[in-house]
């Protein structure tokens, strides 16, 4: 059994069997996604301003 392990490991670990890595191509964002991202950014800024005002009162 041990004599079979090395040839099988060499055969199956061969780089000829491996596929080349294809980098994923990023997709463009849709207009809807850009709108919701803008709304989230505005909400974050507004919430940070609200926290600053709340903390500065104390």
């Amino acid at each position: 059994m041990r004599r079979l392990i090395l040839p099988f490991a060499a055969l199956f670990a061969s780089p000829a069997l491996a596929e080349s890595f294809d980098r994923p191509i990023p997709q463009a964002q849709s207009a809807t996604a850009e709108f919701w991202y803008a709304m989230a950014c505005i909400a974050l800024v507004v919430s940070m301003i609200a926290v600053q005002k709340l903390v500065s009162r104390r």
Side-chain angles (χ1 to χ4, degrees):
M1 187 68 176
R2 289 185 182 182
R3 292 181 185 177
L4 293 175
I5 291 175
L6 184 59
F8 277 121
L11 178 68
F12 290 118
S14 164
L17 296 175
E19 293 182 15
S20 64
F21 178 71
D22 294 329
R23 296 187 79 164
I25 300 171
Q27 300 295 323
Q29 288 185 346
S30 64
T32 305
E34 289 181 5
F35 169 77
W36 285 113
Y37 182 75
M39 291 296 115
C41 291
I42 292 169
L44 178 65
V45 170
V46 169
S47 65
M48 294 303 259
I49 291 170
V51 168
Q52 174 61 34
K53 289 189 183 241
L54 178 68
V55 171
S56 66
R57 276 196 232 167
R58 293 183 176 201

